[in-house]
Structure formats: structure tokens, C-alpha cells
């Protein structure tokens, strides 16, 4: 294509976001010796896989995929995770929080304690086990205030900790992934995306998703200001009133703290329309563990959480 023709091409909003994410992912591959892409089977990490395909295909990804499994994830999401990794022919590493519990490095206060905040320990153990110097994830700034403070290339010290007051400048899309042995970089290629950007990208790219992202009937109880699904992990308690409600999940994670929302949106187009008018962030509406000061996102990130 001639320069004149190139100059006449108008890139859409999604084109710009995609181009930035591809650039960031290639920067990781170019600067880091042993990176890994975190893939949970959730919508953001599904977009990350498509970005990786566009950045590196027809070659193999220059990094494996990894998931830190709490042991209490939704089976639909775990099944999708395994299926998608197999379809891509990419290596998937799974490390379980329950392995950390068996080693005694994670100790729960009670059997029903939410496990999300303990994932940082298992993640740090996996980073040390494989010697990863960069972890690529799908976190976005619009999700939560602490994430809005973080750079795209986020430095972590030898203890895996993040200091929000000591971050590297990122001028003119220049990124610094330099680190000493034991340190690592957390990289967020879709940091500048919003929830609706993600859904519009999923629609444009026709990406497959776990079924729980779409409206379906599910038994729930109303607890802690949200809906909690009735499962073996979250059984009915005395005083609970079980309801059959049409719900969908805006975000997925540990069953004990990830709440669905009432919705009849059974297609990506309907989800986009619903997202466009919502006034509550996805984590604010559906992550029950983010609503307590003890489990604040900033504190968990300082301790090594993604």
C-alpha cells in the first residue's frame, strides 16, 4: 500500500486500542527473557489471547499461558480455559492455591473464607518456580481506583511488592522492563480499555466466551448487598431465601466473592447496550471482597496481587 493510501486510512477507536496493545505485547517479547501471559478464561484474558495472536501469529507465542486457580472457580470458565488453550496449541501452566495451602504458605481463617486475596502467594511462588521476569495480564484502569494508579509496565521488587509512589515514567510509549534477578514486571496491554471497549472488541472479533457471561437462570440468595449463587462452595445459610433469577456475570473469579447481576442480556449486542447505561463499575457491582477495607485492591497489589 502506498504512503498516500496509508495516510487516508482512518483508524477506529478499537483499532487504536488494539494497535497499542499489540505494541506493548511485542515490547514485552523484545525486552524480557522469560515472560508469561496470565489466562483465566475470563473476558479480558480472552481479548489478550486475540492480541497475542495478532502480535505473533503464524508463529507460536513467545511465552506460555498461566492461570492461578483458587480451586473455587466456576467450572464453565475452567472448561473454557482448557479448551481455548488446546485450540491455540499453546502451553498452559496451572498452579493452584490449594497446593499453597498444602505447603502451609496459605492458611485460611475459615473454610469458607474468600480465596481471591490469597492468590498473590501462589502467583509469587509460580514466578519463582519458573523464573518469570514479566507477567502479562488483562487488568484495566477503569476497574478499580488502585488499578488506575498503576503504570502499563509495573515494576515489582524481589518480594513481589508494588510501590505506588515509586513508578517508572512512561513517556511517548517508551517502556522500561529492566529488572534484576528476582524482580519482575507486571504488564497491562489493555490498561487503557474500558469495560465497553472489551465488549465491543469481543463483538468485532467474534470471540467465544464462557456461557456464564450471558443471561441464564440461576439459584441465588441476596447477601452483602449483592447476589450470591447457591453452590457447593456457597451453600444456603439459615435465614437465606433462595430465588431463581435471570442473571449474568460481568466478571468472573472465586465463587465465594464473585456475584452475578440481574440481567436478560443473552447476546453480546445486548450486553453492550446494558453496559453503556450502567453507573456502577463491574468490580463495584460484582466483587464482594472489594467492598471491605481489609481486602482493598491497593493493599493486595502492594502484597503481590495482580
Amino acid at each position: 500500500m502506498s504512503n498516500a493510501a496509508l495516510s487516508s486510512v482512518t483508524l477506529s477507536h478499537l483499532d487504536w486500542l488494539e494497535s497499542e496493545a499489540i505494541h506493548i505485547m511485542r515490547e514485552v517479547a523484545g525486552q524480557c527473557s522469560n515472560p508469561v501471559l496470565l489466562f483465566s478464561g475470563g473476558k479480558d484474558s480472552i481479548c489478550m489471547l486475540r492480541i497475542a495472536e495478532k502480535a505473533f501469529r503464524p508463529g507460536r507465542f513467545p511465552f506460555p499461558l498461566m492461570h492461578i486457580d483458587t480451586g473455587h472457580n466456576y467450572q464453565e470458565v475452567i472448561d473454557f480455559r482448557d479448551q481455548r488453550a488446546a485450540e491455540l496449541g499453546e502451553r498452559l501452566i496451572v498452579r493452584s492455591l490449594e497446593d499453597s495451602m498444602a505447603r502451609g504458605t496459605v492458611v485460611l481463617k475459615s473454610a469458607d473464607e474468600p480465596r481471591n486475596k490469597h492468590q498473590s502467594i501462589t502467583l509469587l511462588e509460580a514466578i519463582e518456580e519458573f523464573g518469570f521476569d514479566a507477567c502479562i495480564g488483562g487488568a484495566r484502569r477503569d476497574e478499580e481506583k488502585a488499578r488506575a494508579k498503576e503504570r502499563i509496565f509495573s515494576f515489582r521488587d524481589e518480594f513481589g511488592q508494588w510501590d505506588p509512589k515509586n513508578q517508572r515514567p512512561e513517556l511517548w510509549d517508551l517502556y522500561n522492563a529492566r529488572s534484576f534477578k528476582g524482580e519482575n514486571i507486571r504488564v497491562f496491554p489493555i490498561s487503557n480499555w474500558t469495560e465497553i471497549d472489551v465488549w465491543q472488541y469481543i463483538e468485532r472479533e467474534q470471540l467465544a466466551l464462557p456461557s456464564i457471561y450471558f443471561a441464564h437462570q440461576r439459584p441465588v440468595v441476596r447477601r452483602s448487598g449483592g447476589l450470591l449463587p447457591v453452590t457447593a462452595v456457597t451453600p444456603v445459610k439459615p435465614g437465606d431465601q433462595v430465588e431463581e433469577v435471570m442473571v449474568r456475570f460481568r466478571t468472573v473469579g472465586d465463587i465465594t466473592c464473585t456475584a452475578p447481576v440481574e440481567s436478560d442480556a443473552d447476546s453480546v449486542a445486548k450486553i453492550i447496550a446494558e453496559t453503556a447505561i450502567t453507573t456502577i463499575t463491574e468490580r463495584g457491582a460484582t466483587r464482594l471482597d472489594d467492598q471491605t477495607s481489609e481486602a482493598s485492591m491497593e493493599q493486595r497489589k502492594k502484597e503481590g496481587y495482580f
Side-chain angles (χ1 to χ4, degrees), residues 198-211:
V198 168
W199 283 110
Q200 288 175 336
Y201 191 72
I202 287 168
E203 181 181 51
R204 189 185 82 172
E205 299 295 313
Q206 298 183 332
L207 301 180
L209 293 164
S211 59

Side-chain angles (χ1 to χ4, degrees), residues 11 14-24 51 193:
L11 297 180
L14 289 181
D15 290 332
W16 281 110
L17 290 174
E18 179 188 71
S19 178
E20 178 187 53
I22 290 171
H23 167 67
I24 292 166
I51 297 297
W193 297 34

